[in-house]
């Protein structure tokens, strides 16, 4: 299956289609808009729309299936899907790297992509606050504390290929070049040596959500911004909390960021130590949506709009786009019986 999600143990493919789920390996396999070949959808009036094609190329008019991918069930119910499934990788490996500063992330990504090429399947980022949080909840440590030093952020790189020896040779050459560079982009790094260590390195990233939940009540923002703005967005929100007198154990104890470098998706978490409050929410919204909009980003990179972000849709979509979304909704569902209140208020 060409996607991998934190909710892979409980989610269903129809829901994945309807929410255009992204996940950890979008960098390698692309979005569902590209891998879904055909859909069967039950429309609001009971009509069955049969577009269950398996063709890679079909340029015969409007590609209607794309309307239902990411529509969050507001236009119809997905009851069947044909999806392009790539060959399962025969060899998977990962490395975990510590970076002295955030400014090194983009050149590191470019270097890794150039050297690993087609076998790179994930490039995940977490800031220092997220890493320390993971350690405090029993994950890792992935790296020696003395070698990590004052590293500002961390990156997990995964490879998926067809030849273990070939992939390991590439990874070892990558690590050697990074460690011996005249101006190193990293402090230190480790290459997984066993399936258990492979899982342990991934756990540092995948279980961050669980760690955040244990710290308090998190305000979660799933946004897309240019890669170069990841850290500044997190820092700006932290400074906002400080300026409002809300940063500390009495209110917001942590502001942290992690996400998918390859597709510009930042998961920003603001942890309210004592629980949610109107004061914290008022300080965050609409400020954070305005901040994302100023970078021409998206207020929802992969989690969708649902009923919680309908008021923020206009920060990412212009009035004309929203008007035509309403018209499409009206054509398919004039009685507004499909997920009313979702996406469009």
């Amino acid at each position: 299956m060409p996607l991998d999600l934190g909710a892979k143990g409980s989610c269903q493919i129809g829901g994945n289609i309807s929410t255009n789920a992204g996940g950890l390996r979008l960098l390698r396999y692309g979005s569902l808009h590209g891998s879904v070949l055909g859909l069967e959808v039950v429309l609001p009036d009971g009509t069955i729309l049969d577009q269950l094609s398996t063709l890679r190329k079909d340029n015969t008019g409007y590609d209607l299936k794309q309307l239902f991918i990411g529509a969050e069930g507001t236009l119809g119910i997905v009851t069947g899907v044909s999806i392009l499934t790539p060959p399962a990788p025969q060899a998977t490996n990962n490395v975990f790297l510590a970076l002295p500063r955030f400014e090194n992330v983009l050149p590191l990504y470019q270097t890794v992509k150039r050297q690993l090429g087609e076998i790179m399947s994930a490039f995940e980022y977490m800031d220092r606050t997220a890493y320390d949080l993971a350690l405090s909840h029993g994950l890792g440590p992935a790296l020696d504390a003395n070698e990590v030093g004052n590293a500002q952020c961390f990156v997990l790189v995964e490879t998926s290929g067809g030849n273990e020896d070939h992939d390991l040779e590439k990874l070892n050459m990558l690590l050697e070049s990074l460690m011996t560079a005249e101006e190193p982009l990293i402090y230190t790094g480790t290459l997984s040596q066993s399936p258990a260590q492979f899982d342990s390195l991934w756990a540092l990233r995948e279980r961050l959500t669980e760690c955040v939940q244990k710290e308090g009540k998190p305000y979660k923002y799933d946004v897309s911004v240019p890669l170069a703005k990841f850290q500044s967005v997190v820092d700006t929100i932290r400074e906002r909390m400080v300026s409002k007198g809300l940063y500390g154990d009495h209110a917001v104890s942590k502001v942290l960021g992690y996400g998918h470098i390859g597709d510009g998706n930042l998961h920003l978490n603001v942890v309210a130590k004592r629980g949610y409050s109107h004061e914290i929410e008022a300080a965050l919204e609409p400020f954070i949506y305005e901040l994302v909009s100023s970078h021409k980003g998206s207020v929802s990179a992969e989690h969708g709009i649902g009923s919680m972000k309908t008021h923020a849709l206009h920060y990412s979509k212009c009035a004309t786009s929203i008007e035509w979304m309403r018209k499409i909704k009206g054509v398919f569902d004039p009685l507004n019986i499909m997920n009313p209140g979702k996406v469009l208020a």
Side-chain angles (χ1 to χ4, degrees), residues 119-264:
I119 67 172
M120 183 168 70
S121 53
F123 194 100
E124 295 292 301
Y125 158 85
M126 67 177 72
D127 65 18
R128 184 60 188 254
T129 304
Y131 179 74
D132 288 344
L133 177 64
L135 296 190
S136 72
H137 287 281
L139 300 178
L143 303 167
D144 182 271
N146 293 324
E147 295 179 354
V148 167
N150 62 348
Q152 289 187 8
C153 56
F154 300 81
V155 162
L156 185 147
V157 179
E158 182 194 70
T159 63
S160 302
N163 186 298
E164 180 80 14
D165 293 336
H166 168 267
D167 296 358
L168 284 174
E169 182 181 2
K170 277 195 165 187
L171 281 167
N172 282 313
M173 289 177 63
L174 170 68
L175 279 176
E176 182 179 356
S177 68
L178 290 173
M179 296 297 291
T180 59
E182 288 187 12
E183 297 183 11
L185 294 173
I186 67 172
Y187 274 156
T188 186
T190 186
L191 169 62
S192 61
Q193 301 296 319
S194 67
Q197 190 179 12
F198 177 90
D199 292 340
S200 176
L201 293 181
W202 261 118
L204 279 165
R205 167 63 183 86
E206 289 192 298
R207 293 180 61 187
L208 274 174
T209 298
E210 175 187 328
C211 296
V212 168
Q213 295 282 3
K214 292 177 179 178
E215 286 291 307
K217 297 297 185 181
Y219 291 87
K220 293 174 171 287
Y221 297 95
D222 159 56
V223 300
S224 282
V225 292
L227 169 56
K229 300 298 181 182
F230 267 38
Q231 192 61 51
S232 70
V233 167
V234 176
D235 291 344
T236 299
I237 296 302
R238 186 182 295 110
E239 291 163 7
R240 170 82 169 178
M241 296 298 101
V242 171
S243 70
K244 295 291 184 180
L246 295 171
Y247 197 72
D249 285 346
H250 66 289
V252 172
S253 58
K254 288 181 174 63
V255 178
L256 57 105
Y258 56 89
H260 320 299
I261 290 295
D263 51 39

